[in-house]
Amino acid sequence: MEGHIHSTESFGTVDGPGIRFVIFFQGCPMRCQYCHNPDTWTIDNSNTENLRSVESLLKEYDGGITATGGEPLVQMEFLTELFETAKKKGIHTCLDTSGILFRQERREEFDRLMAVTDLVMLDIKHIDDTEHQKLTKQSNKHILEFAEYLNEKGVPVWIRHVVVPTITLNDTYLKQLGHFIGGLDNLKALDVLPYHTMGEVKYENLGIDYPLKGIPAATKEQAIHAKQVIFEGIKERIREDIHKK
């Protein structure tokens, strides 16, 4: 089996625990306004140059493997075969995903994939559904369902959230996000990432208008503040759950 792969990166250090071999999958149904990989949005079936086999990818790996994109779940069958083969070789597997393609009727497919997934890095773009749709052109309904599914399955999760001034840098929304993830028993880490403008040049090269033009990059201090507010929501949820018991 072959998959449409945009690119690979050796010695990745921010895409999971330890040193990672990062595989960027082609294809994504979301159109995040701050996406820094717009060149991964679509799959050109006529282009065979980016087709890669599982075997050819595993020949390159060093450390663990992280599947990212784009959205790896767009090519779920290939992704599952990649992870199943990797696990047979004792390779740590990490899935960096938005979870946007999760559906309850596809649980059997997801169960098979999760059986060979050691860690999920789940990107929650916005906790408010209306704001999420403005930011990504998609509802967050299935993303939050996926988070709860992972909790049910006991799959370790790192939550990732990008702080964007005027969009997600909002204490009310940040606390709501914390309240939601505070109910996940499988939560292992929280990465709050400051929005940056480095992807803007890609849009210019592709002839695409950059949606967030004029919005400044988030500062380190803003990211620290956001993480503190999210933790307040987490603690509040934990207290509520303890009280219920």
Side-chain angles (χ1 to χ4, degrees):
M1 183 181 295
E2 293 180 315
H4 290 270
I5 303 301
H6 175 272
S7 57
T8 61
E9 177 185 318
S10 298
F11 302 106
T13 58
V14 295
D15 300 281
I19 302 296
R20 316 295 300 180
F21 176 58
V22 187
I23 303 171
F24 294 85
F25 280 60
Q26 201 73 32
C28 184
M30 300 229 284
R31 293 295 180 266
C32 302
Q33 291 184 339
Y34 55 72
C35 178
H36 58 275
N37 289 324
D39 46 343
T40 66
W41 285 347
T42 59
I43 294 177
D44 181 1
N45 288 316
S46 65
N47 181 8
T48 59
E49 291 182 7
N50 68 352
L51 284 174
R52 297 287 303 273
S53 68
V54 166
E55 292 74 20
S56 72
L57 288 169
L58 292 181
K59 283 179 182 177
E60 294 182 19
Y61 95 94
D62 185 34
I65 285 179
T66 297
T68 184
E71 172 52 68
L73 293 177
V74 169
Q75 301 184 65
M76 190 163 171
E77 188 176 358
F78 178 77
L79 171 66
T80 302
E81 182 175 313
L82 173 67
F83 276 17
E84 286 179 340
T85 306
K87 290 311 300 173
K88 289 175 183 176
K89 296 178 180 291
I91 302 171
H92 184 278
T93 55
C94 174
L95 172 60
D96 181 8
T97 179
S98 70
I100 188 66
L101 294 176
F102 177 75
R103 299 292 187 274
Q104 293 292 346
E105 58 268 26
R106 297 183 67 192
R107 283 180 70 101
E108 188 174 332
E109 294 174 70
F110 276 90
D111 286 351
R112 179 182 166 192
L113 174 59
M114 289 305 113
V116 288
T117 301
D118 293 311
L119 174 68
V120 172
M121 299 177 75
L122 180 61
D123 297 315
I124 298 183
K125 314 292 185 179
H126 207 301
I127 193 63
D128 181 86
D129 190 41
T130 299
E131 295 300 319
H132 192 279
Q133 291 181 48
K134 292 179 187 176
L135 181 61
T136 72
K137 305 297 184 187
Q138 296 280 349
S139 168
N140 69 6
K141 175 186 174 183
H142 298 298
I143 294 169
L144 302 186
E145 285 180 352
F146 183 56
E148 291 170 342
Y149 162 81
L150 293 173
N151 188 41
E152 176 190 327
K153 299 293 292 185
V155 179
V157 166
W158 289 8
I159 296 295
R160 287 181 138 184
H161 183 67
V162 178
V163 175
V164 186
T166 76
I167 298 178
T168 58
L169 188 58
N170 177 300
D171 284 7
T172 298
Y173 293 138
L174 291 168
K175 196 166 185 180
Q176 288 175 1
L177 173 62
H179 190 271
F180 174 77
I181 66 177
L184 303 176
D185 298 325
N186 58 337
L187 179 64
K188 302 302 179 184
L190 169 65
D191 289 334
V192 178
L193 310 171
Y195 160 72
H196 61 73
T197 60
M198 290 184 286
E200 191 168 347
V201 66
K202 283 190 178 182
Y203 286 75
E204 293 175 1
N205 293 337
L206 292 168
I208 305 173
D209 290 333
Y210 187 62
L212 300 185
K213 199 171 187 66
I215 292 181
T219 65
K220 181 180 178 180
E221 290 73 24
Q222 287 173 323
I224 291 172
H225 168 78
K227 194 167 189 175
Q228 290 172 339
V229 176
I230 294 172
F231 272 125
E232 288 175 13
I234 291 174
K235 292 174 185 176
E236 184 178 284
R237 174 63 179 271
I238 291 172
R239 286 194 295 268
E240 288 175 5
D241 290 347
I242 291 174
H243 182 71
K244 289 177 183 177
K245 292 177 182 179

